[in-house]
Amino acid sequence: MRFVFSPPAEAASGLLDLSWHEPLEEWEDERLVEIRQRGLSRHPVRFVAEAGVVYALKELDARLARREYRLLRSLRDLGLPAVEVVGVVVDRPGLDAILVTRFLDYSSSYRALFANARYGHPTDRLQDALVELLVRLHLAGFMWGDCSLSNVLFRMDAGAFAAYLVDAETAELHPALSEGQRGYDLDLARERIAGELFDLQAAGTLPPVDPIEVADDTVRRYHALWDELTREEILHPEDQRYRIADRLRRINSLGFDVDEVELVDAGPVAGEGTTPHTSGNGPGGARLRVRTRVAEPGHHRRILMARTGLGAQENQARRLLNDIAAYRGYLERVKGGPVPEVVASNTWLAEVYERVVRAIPADLRDRLDEVEIFHEILEHRWFLSERAGRDVGTTEAARDYFDSVLPTVPEDLTETGRPPS
Ligand SMILES: Nc1ncnc2c1ncn2[C@@H]1O[C@H](COP(=O)(O)OP(=O)(O)O)[C@@H](O)[C@H]1O
Ligand SMILES: [Mg+2]
């Protein structure tokens, strides 16, 4: 038997005395934990809590396990959203290998999301999150070969969802993907998504949507996003500067960062219904190519991290940056003069954000991640202020939110996988 762990391996060394010599499904160990509503799987998958951390163990053919181990490491190196791989156990006499990943904190399967009334109809947000993940993977040259709702985990992201890849055993990493390779992934995704939604329909947990229509629409959304990020445009000389700025802003607003902008001389530009000779635009038209960065967290996450050191999902980061900007305006009004960005960010962190987070009741801390709780408090403040006809302030909003909203967040939606205390 052989264990291969990637550093930091000390954390996982507590796993060494599990019953590796027995089939995973026959294990009996007090460290095993049940995860409700997890995604569908081909292989035996079980979860173990060790020293406060939960791990997912999957038993599968050694060749596939090694391959998945390698691919998940590549995804981590590329900075793409996927579960974190811990190690692989091979050469178990007479048995398949076991792949060990870390349980993704605060994650839910699509089944858990559909089962929870709190989030209304999650279909739309699930589609957007899945599409964004697939586009990111494709930009990085990663062909999934198994894109489905079951193979994705979702985390809350300021009311939207952020998707993480969970199953990579069929994937291939290339320098870039052809249209055929992307098309292959999309065909599979369409088929799998429709199938998974039909299953939910049969179980009575699907809102009134047509599975095939949702699957087709997911593919349409993929093409729209891919096109926005990668399409080449021909720019007229007179509006070049504006059009470039506009395109970059749109890409940033989708949560992506631009790595490189390339302008290639395209010669004279023809206006509509004119020939190049008569267009009057003269020379100077340019072809705009934009390369999107994949190896970095999203645009707003990066800015928030630089300003405050807070790690967040993309929409959460956007939300927090807006709150910091509003707070800066407030500080400037109080002071009667300009307040530097860095001062505003630091003051906001200490006086607003950390104060709220410290006040979260200990027994409710695991319901949602900290940034999501803060986001919900901002929403709640807006709601209470509307009702009261005055700004109730963050402290009062937080108090009311802890009393009346947070306790209603179902635990299974936000299954942290942490061992029961
Ligand atoms: N690291 C993890 N964190 C959270 N959930 C996980 C993790 N690994 C697996 N799961 C859950 O187990 C399910 C099955 O895992 P998966 O790797 O897709 O197995 P299979 O190859 O059999 O399809 C997933 O849909 C997901 O719900
Ligand atoms: Mg799977």
Side-chain angles (χ1 to χ4, degrees):
M1 189 155 61
R2 197 142 56 88
F3 294 79
V4 182
F5 285 113
S6 58
E10 321 84 75
S13 58
L15 301 174
L16 294 178
D17 64 347
L18 288 166
S19 322
W20 301 105
H21 290 281
E22 291 161 33
L24 182 56
E25 278 179 321
E26 289 170 18
W27 286 15
E28 278 173 34
D29 193 298
E30 61 202 10
R31 286 169 289 181
L32 287 166
V33 289
E34 290 301 324
I35 302 296
R36 274 168 283 172
Q37 309 268 21
R38 67 178 180 78
L40 311 173
S41 69
R42 281 184 289 269
H43 303 104
V45 175
R46 299 189 77 181
F47 301 87
V48 170
E50 167 63 40
V53 178
V54 176
Y55 300 91
L57 311 184
K58 163 157 101 168
E59 194 170 58
L60 76 172
D61 174 78
R63 208 174 41 82
L64 289 177
R66 280 213 179 82
R67 172 195 185 80
E68 184 159 16
Y69 174 72
R70 192 166 42 75
L71 282 159
L72 287 174
R73 286 180 53 133
S74 308
L75 289 177
R76 184 192 59 195
D77 294 344
L78 287 166
L80 288 162
V83 294
E84 191 187 322
V85 67
V86 175
V88 61
V89 182
V90 291
D91 300 339
R92 299 164 68 218
L95 296 169
D96 276 345
I98 291 184
L99 179 80
V100 184
T101 54
R102 239 188 110 127
F103 185 87
L104 181 66
D105 278 347
Y106 304 107
S107 68
S108 310
S109 71
Y110 72 103
R111 294 175 61 220
L113 291 173
F114 275 110
N116 275 292
R118 180 172 202 264
Y119 291 95
H121 291 192
T123 325
D124 195 58
R125 287 168 290 162
L126 283 174
Q127 289 176 277
D128 281 341
L130 183 68
V131 159
E132 188 189 320
L133 174 64
L134 191 58
V135 164
R136 265 188 207 283
L137 294 171
H138 283 176
L139 286 170
F142 188 93
M143 187 172 83
W144 197 341
D146 200 7
C147 174
S148 66
L149 293 172
S150 286
N151 286 337
V152 168
L153 292 165
F154 297 92
R155 292 188 58 171
M156 296 304 300
D157 180 11
F161 300 138
Y164 288 74
L165 177 145
V166 69
D167 188 345
E169 78 205 36
T170 47
E172 289 172 22
L173 195 52
H174 299 275
L177 296 185
S178 68
E179 216 167 308
Q181 287 169 317
R182 293 191 298 112
Y184 170 78
D185 253 0
L186 281 172
D187 286 346
L188 264 178
R190 181 200 282 126
E191 199 177 296
R192 299 270 156 85
I193 293 167
E196 287 163 327
L197 296 180
F198 275 124
D199 280 353
L200 292 182
Q201 201 171 52
T205 50
L206 188 72
V209 292
D210 173 8
I212 296 195
E213 176 44 41
V214 172
D216 286 344
D217 181 49
T218 307
V219 173
R220 270 197 298 279
R221 291 182 196 206
Y222 169 94
H223 287 302
L225 180 58
W226 181 265
D227 185 59
E228 183 67 81
L229 294 174
T230 63
R231 110 187 104 86
E232 279 187 18
E233 21 183 350
I234 304 284
L235 305 181
H236 286 266
E238 66 268 28
D239 59 4
Q240 263 180 27
R241 291 227 334 234
Y242 157 75
R243 291 274 299 277
I244 294 172
D246 189 47
R247 179 79 183 278
L248 300 194
R249 209 172 21 246
R250 277 205 311 277
I251 291 178
N252 288 162
S253 76
L254 293 167
F256 288 80
D257 263 320
V258 173
D259 192 28
E260 205 167 62
V261 175
E262 192 184 333
L263 277 175
V264 185
D265 196 2
V269 179
E272 237 176 345
T274 61
T275 68
H277 303 291
T278 59
S279 70
N281 283 323
R287 195 185 302 268
L288 170 67
R289 287 189 197 131
V290 177
R291 215 179 52 220
T292 309
R293 190 177 303 191
V294 287
E296 295 254 310
H299 183 69
H300 300 92
R301 297 173 78 176
R302 209 163 38 73
I303 299 176
L304 182 72
M305 176 57 87
R307 288 194 190 155
T308 64
L310 289 177
Q313 314 280 333
E314 180 63 13
N315 292 315
Q316 291 174 337
R318 198 184 318 231
R319 187 77 214 268
L320 265 49
L321 288 170
N322 282 338
D323 198 50
I324 294 172
Y327 188 68
R328 187 180 178 190
Y330 156 79
L331 288 179
E332 289 181 337
R333 270 195 313 283
V334 170
K335 180 170 174 260
V339 172
E341 175 72 73
V342 53
V343 174
S345 301
N346 280 310
T347 317
W348 173 87
L349 191 63
E351 298 297 321
V352 182
Y353 184 81
E354 279 169 358
R355 232 179 236 196
V356 166
V357 166
R358 264 199 309 274
I360 303 172
D363 56 326
L364 299 175
R365 224 157 248 256
D366 277 357
R367 296 292 169 98
L368 291 169
D369 76 69
E370 178 185 298
V371 180
E372 192 66 15
I373 291 180
F374 185 79
H375 154 78
E376 293 207 344
I377 289 171
L378 292 181
E379 297 276 282
H380 195 62
R381 172 179 174 177
W382 180 85
F383 167 79
L384 291 182
S385 302
E386 279 280 298
R387 208 173 52 183
R390 63 172 175 98
D391 186 354
V392 301
T394 306
T395 312
E396 189 184 324
R399 201 175 308 124
D400 193 66
Y401 174 86
F402 297 144
D403 280 349
S404 64
V405 183
L406 195 54
T408 70
V409 176
E411 278 177 275
D412 59 350
L413 178 73
T414 56
E415 182 63 78
T416 62
R418 291 205 186 88
S421 45

